[in-house]
Structures are given as C-alpha cells and as structure tokens.
Amino acid sequence: MFGPGSEFHGFFNDPRWALAMVRATVLEAAHPQVGAALLDNSTFLAHPWRRLRNTFLSMQRMFSADEQVRKREAARLNRLHARLNGTGSDNRPYDAMDPAVRAWVVATLFESAVTMCQLSGQSLEQKAMERLYAEFRTFLATMGDEAGHLPVALADFWPYFDRVVARELENTEAMRIILYKLFDHLPAPPVLNGFPALWATGRAIAGPVIGAITVASLPEQFRRRAGLPELAGAQTLMQGAYLTVGLVRFLPESWIQAANIADLLALSPHSDDPRARTITALHEQMKRAGALLRLVTPFPPEPEPAGGAETQRSAAEFFAEVLDQTGDGFLDWPDLAAMARELSSRLDLDEPEETRLYTAYADWWRELQTALDTDGDGRVSAREYATAVPSLAGPSLIRVAEVLFDVTDKDGDQHIDADEYRALFQTAFHRDTTDTRGAYDRSAFVSEFLSFMSGRRRTTPYDPLLAQA
C-alpha cells in the first residue's frame, strides 16, 4: 500500500501533481469547516512556501514504506488537528478532528489525482484506480479514522463525491483567497529573495493563469453554484497546461524529484548546503537582470534592509513579518500556535516536548493579551502593538526561549551542537553564536532569541525561522 511500488508513489515526482494539489486545496477550502479552519489558523497566506514544504514532508512520511514513520506522523497530525477547532466568522463551529471533514480532504486528493490523469490524456485503468483508492482509504485508516467515512467500493465513491460537492461545498472566503488573492500577493520563495522586479513580473503572468486553469478544472456543478467565472478558452488552456506539464516527467528523474525542488525553493543563500554556492552565483546574475527589468517594467523595487545582516526593523514590519503568522492583520493565539507548530515540525518533536512548547507559547499569548489588548476584543491589532511599543521580553517569552533550547538540545548536555543547530535553523553555525567549545550555550541562545523577538533585529539565523515565507 505504501512506499515504492504503490500507485501513489508513482505520482510523487510527477510535475502534474503541482496543478492537482492546487485544485485539491481549492476543493478542501470550499468545505465550510475546512475554509474556516484555514482562515483562522493557517499560515498559507503569509508563509505559503513554508506551508507547502511542510505539507510535502508530511505526505512523504505518511506514504513512507516504514510503518513506524507513518504511525509517528499520523500521531503528530492528530495532535495538530486536535488543536484546530473554534467558531468561524459565520458563527458556525469547525473541528479539524471531524471524521467526515478529514475524509473529504482525503477524497479531494484521490479525485484530483484521477482528474489529473484524465486531463493530461492518460486516464487511469480501472485496476490502477482501485489500487490508488485503496491506498487513500488506508491512509485515512492510518490516521485512526473509521474506514466507513469513505465508501468501501470505488463505484460508491463517485456518488459520495458528487453529493458533497452538490450539498456541502460553498464559495468560502478561503477558497476565493486561494484562487484570486494568494498568487497576487505571493511572496518570493527564499531562494529568490532580493529580486522583487523579476518575481513580480513572473507572478503577474502566472497568477491569473493558474487561477483560470484551476477554476476550469473544478466540477462543473460547483462552478455554477459558486458563481465562479470561467474565462473564454480556459478549458483549452487547462488541458494544454496539463499536457505540457505532463511532458516534463520525461526529463531526467534527478531534475524533477519533488524533494529536491522543495529543498531548493526553501534554500537560503546563507545556508551551508553546497547548492547555496550555486544559488549565490545565480543571485549575482539575476541582480543584473533585475536591474534591467526595473527599467522596463512598472514594478517598483522593494526596499532592501540597509546595514547588512543585522538591522532594526520598524514595529509595523516586525508585526507583519514575524508576529502575524496567519496574515490576517491581527496578533492572536493562532499566530503563536503557528510558531509552535513550525518549530515542532522542524525539530520533529514528539510528546511531551511538543506540548511543553505549545504551553510556553500559550502562556506568552496570555501575557501579550493582558498587556496589549486595550479594546478587549481578544486580539492585538497592529495599531495596538505599535502604540504600546512594548518590550516583549517578559517572563513568558523567556520561558519560550528556555523550552525551545531544551527541545533543541536533544542530548541534554546544555549546549546546542552543530547537528542540533542545523535541525532548528537548517543552516550551519552562525559565526557569532558559538562559544570556545564550538557550541551554542543556553545563555547565548536565550539572549539571541529574546533580542530577535523584542529588539526586532533582522538576523541571519532567526529570520528564516519565523519571518521568511
């Protein structure tokens, strides 16, 4: 069912899967419960590349050939989903542990994989489709959900899918953001940071095209009900896109491995990864191209921070880039929970360390809420934050730093060594952080973390951790 030889494994490095995943995400976001959970808790708007990479790594683990890896990832996802519940802006409750909703998410992945093959002119044979469906049902069972939430037989799946599309999906705000706003404001991946003109030019072209392709690929009955406009020629454009992207899979396998592409997109020029040298050289060439492009395009260059690797950022910049993880313009618990989630994912934490980190962030949120929420609406606005100009290094933030050090220091020797540092920051030691032993001690780590969070400094190791998209 899993690993090499499975039907899904054959799709993992298929470039068509990129288009199919966008389509599946739109169908997920059209479900009212999923849409509300995304708006309230997800970092897909403010940190889309980080979210994409984390989702990819999770899928890798869930379809691993190693049963223990699958079980551990399933337990991690269940803990994550158990924390995602609340009431949406329409006053309807949502719960990420709702088994029917989780079944729908799996259903969109399976149906989009089948549709992907159909649109690219290579429909799956019946037996292959049945095997793929069995794999996705097993995926759901691995999560601990009852298998009955997805029909047992493939023949019964299609009426189930059509019924949910017809009766439950809506034109949600989250769906509209993914289709029409996400690509308009999509920040550059870390590897392309510093080239706003080049990125803006490509995004201005690709965004509307991807949106049109996705809308054209959605079920017709849902397009009509949701009032989604379909551009003239969009069906032809969509089929041409799937056919063209499908041809890419005939390139050498090493060129199109999804893991390599995901790592490259997330790669910082400051990384100790050998590929970073090549990226740095490409950056120099792209700077020249970017300068030329700025002369002939209307996209103004975005200001670059002056003063090298460590400079002060304004309170507004710090709020938007670091504190507001969900991108909704406010600071509340989901933003700090997103920080805990990202750190837990990077360090691959298990219990009880994961809960310790979440608890530390929850305590910090209560401290911030008490100090900064002047109008009592349960959240902190950018204006409230900027007006207070707070010193964030209170007792609870110090506790966050202490717990983060503890969970990073895997061997408990009170020093973070090179491997532990790389696990957290995904780069080699920053030269200024090591002591005479060549390690990062507790006091230095806590001091640097508090300096970043309260002094609003741009720093080489910490910005990729919490600020970059």
Side-chain angles (χ1 to χ4, degrees):
M1 286 292 180
F2 300 101
S6 67
E7 290 293 329
F8 182 78
H9 191 270
F11 289 134
F12 218 73
N13 293 318
D14 193 319
R16 297 173 298 176
W17 191 240
L19 295 174
M21 281 294 290
V22 175
R23 180 183 185 277
T25 302
V26 168
L27 289 172
E28 292 169 21
H31 192 288
Q33 284 206 57
V34 179
L38 284 173
L39 281 181
D40 284 355
N41 300 279
S42 179
T43 61
F44 77 97
L45 188 61
H47 300 280
W49 299 106
R50 193 173 76 192
R51 167 70 189 274
L52 174 66
R53 188 169 189 273
N54 289 345
T55 300
F56 172 75
L57 290 175
S58 180
M59 291 289 287
Q60 267 191 322
R61 293 168 180 168
M62 284 301 297
F63 281 90
S64 168
D66 188 329
E67 183 180 4
Q68 291 306 312
V69 171
R70 297 197 303 272
K71 287 183 175 180
R72 193 166 185 270
E73 180 63 12
R76 187 190 72 83
L77 289 174
N78 285 334
R79 293 195 302 271
L80 186 156
H81 291 162
R83 296 184 174 102
L84 302 181
N85 54 74
T87 303
S89 58
D90 57 1
N91 293 320
R92 287 187 289 182
Y94 64 85
D95 184 352
M97 288 298 287
D98 185 324
V101 174
R102 281 154 59 107
W104 174 246
V105 171
V106 173
T108 63
L109 292 171
F110 167 73
E111 190 274 345
S112 291
V114 173
T115 300
M116 168 187 85
C117 294
Q118 292 173 341
L119 293 177
S120 54
Q122 293 183 322
S123 297
L124 288 174
E125 296 181 357
Q126 184 67 21
K127 288 186 178 180
M129 198 184 306
E130 289 174 352
R131 285 195 300 269
L132 182 63
Y133 184 60
E135 291 168 11
F136 274 102
R137 290 188 77 247
T138 305
F139 170 91
L140 190 61
T142 302
M143 298 285 289
D145 291 7
E146 297 179 13
H149 288 288
L150 279 180
V152 175
L154 176 60
D156 296 323
F157 170 81
W158 302 111
Y160 153 79
F161 183 86
D162 292 341
R163 184 171 62 254
V164 174
V165 169
R167 299 179 183 177
E168 299 186 37
L169 299 194
E170 299 176 4
N171 188 344
T172 65
E173 184 180 352
M175 186 200 74
R176 293 193 297 273
I177 287 174
I178 294 170
L179 279 175
Y180 302 120
K181 295 183 181 179
L182 180 60
F183 291 105
D184 287 346
H185 303 285
L186 187 68
V191 72
L192 292 179
N193 274 345
F195 305 103
L198 286 172
W199 179 251
T201 302
R203 184 181 61 195
I205 297 171
V209 171
I210 294 173
I213 290 171
T214 303
V215 169
S217 70
L218 296 173
E220 183 178 356
Q221 61 174 323
F222 177 63
R223 292 203 309 270
R224 290 200 304 267
R225 280 182 52 243
L228 296 177
E230 184 177 334
L231 300 177
Q235 288 288 332
T236 302
L237 174 65
M238 170 196 63
Q239 291 176 340
Y242 273 93
L243 286 169
T244 302
V245 173
L247 294 176
V248 177
R249 69 185 187 277
F250 296 110
L251 293 172
E253 185 176 353
S254 60
W255 292 13
I256 59 173
Q257 280 191 339
N260 292 342
I261 295 173
D263 288 344
L264 187 62
L265 287 173
L267 187 64
S268 167
H270 302 292
S271 171
D272 63 336
D273 189 306
R275 292 172 295 183
R277 300 190 193 96
T278 304
I279 296 299
T280 301
L282 286 174
H283 270 205
E284 294 302 317
Q285 297 299 321
M286 292 171 68
K287 281 180 180 178
R288 298 175 186 173
L292 177 62
L293 246 151
R294 284 194 291 270
L295 295 175
V296 298
T297 65
F299 301 106
E302 298 174 6
E304 296 184 4
E310 297 195 8
T311 61
Q312 290 290 114
R313 71 179 104 211
S314 70
E317 288 174 326
F318 181 70
F319 187 93
E321 296 174 10
V322 179
L323 295 179
D324 183 14
Q325 291 282 307
T326 59
D328 64 353
F330 294 91
L331 170 62
D332 53 11
W333 166 239
D335 296 301
L336 270 64
M339 294 184 195
R341 187 164 64 242
E342 172 62 19
L343 296 171
S344 297
S345 177
R346 283 200 179 209
L347 296 171
D348 195 20
L349 296 184
D350 212 335
E351 292 288 34
E353 288 81 5
E354 182 181 278
T355 295
R356 284 185 63 203
L357 190 60
Y358 270 90
T359 300
Y361 268 100
D363 291 341
W364 186 39
W365 164 238
R366 285 188 286 270
E367 185 176 88
L368 287 173
Q369 191 177 22
T370 300
L372 305 180
D373 181 18
T374 56
D375 61 8
D377 65 351
R379 57 187 184 177
V380 177
S381 68
R383 185 173 184 177
E384 286 174 324
Y385 171 78
T387 300
V389 192
S391 173
L392 298 183
S396 294
L397 181 58
I398 295 173
R399 178 59 180 162
V400 170
E402 294 276 0
V403 172
L404 182 56
F405 179 89
D406 289 340
V407 297
T408 304
D409 178 24
K410 298 288 188 182
D411 58 12
D413 67 351
Q414 298 302 305
H415 287 81
I416 293 177
D417 61 28
D419 290 337
E420 292 164 344
Y421 188 97
R422 186 176 287 106
L424 177 61
F425 294 110
Q426 297 178 352
T427 188
F429 269 134
H430 192 235
R431 287 185 302 175
D432 300 332
T433 60
T434 58
D435 59 18
T436 55
R437 293 179 45 183
Y440 202 4
D441 65 24
R442 178 183 292 272
S443 62
F445 180 91
V446 171
S447 176
E448 286 286 328
F449 183 81
L450 295 179
S451 178
F452 172 74
M453 295 302 297
S454 61
R456 301 190 292 273
R457 284 193 304 167
R458 300 178 187 275
T459 73
T460 298
Y462 283 96
D463 259 50
L465 186 64
L466 293 174
Q468 288 187 0

